[in-house]
Amino acid sequence: MSLFIDGRTSQNASTSNSIAIPILVIDTPQMFGQIGLNSDGAVGIPRVQFTGTVAVQLPLALVGVTITVVRGTLPTDPLVYSATSTFSLSVLAPQVITFSGNDYNPSVTPLMTYTAFIAANLLGTIRVGPENFDGILIGD
């Protein structure tokens, strides 16, 4: 049976259209969420389960948006999740991107930090909210 160790939430924007943060550099990750999980009491095989939501307003062009999650604080830290969504030219309304992932049997440190990033392959992409990133640490 699994044992809940810790859970955290990073809530950057709670509602739709509550922020307007442009992605200014093509294919360069911008952080939109970060959590630190306390591993006190972790036993057995640890697992981190995470979910997130980010909404973007897209330019009127074919655009790809990439979400990445790393174990650490920098885009170059160990990658544990990555997904790219490509949106067509006909998309006018803000697009909500949700994701869910796991980090199975990571190295346990006293504070396990996970960071979520977003990048776009075209200028004109704007983060508009909501933005959320949360995770839990469980063990056996």
Side-chain angles (χ1 to χ4, degrees):
M1 184 153 110
S2 296
L3 173 67
F4 173 82
I5 308 297
D6 194 17
R8 303 289 175 183
T9 296
S10 175
Q11 187 86 19
N12 188 43
S14 298
T15 59
S16 61
N17 295 312
S18 59
I19 59 174
I21 302 171
I23 297 177
L24 297 175
V25 182
I26 296 173
D27 291 328
T28 300
Q30 281 186 355
M31 180 180 71
F32 71 89
Q34 187 173 75
I35 55 173
L37 300 168
N38 183 337
S39 65
D40 289 346
V43 294
I45 298 173
R47 293 169 308 284
V48 173
Q49 298 175 339
F50 52 85
T51 61
T53 300
V54 61
V56 291
Q57 180 67 56
L58 304 168
L60 292 177
L62 187 65
V63 62
V65 176
T66 301
I67 304 295
T68 55
V69 176
V70 300
R71 187 182 323 114
T73 59
L74 302 173
T76 55
D77 284 336
L79 181 67
V80 295
Y81 177 87
S82 178
T84 299
S85 295
T86 302
F87 298 94
S88 73
L89 300 172
S90 64
V91 174
L92 296 177
Q95 297 301 298
V96 178
I97 302 166
T98 60
F99 61 94
S100 175
N102 296 285
D103 191 11
Y104 181 79
N105 201 15
S107 299
V108 175
T109 58
L111 182 67
M112 300 173 67
T113 302
Y114 288 82
T115 306
F117 296 94
I118 184 170
N121 67 356
L122 190 64
L123 293 178
T125 304
I126 301 170
R127 298 166 37 207
V128 294
E131 291 185 349
N132 179 71
F133 179 58
D134 56 61
I136 62 170
L137 172 61
I138 57 176
D140 292 329

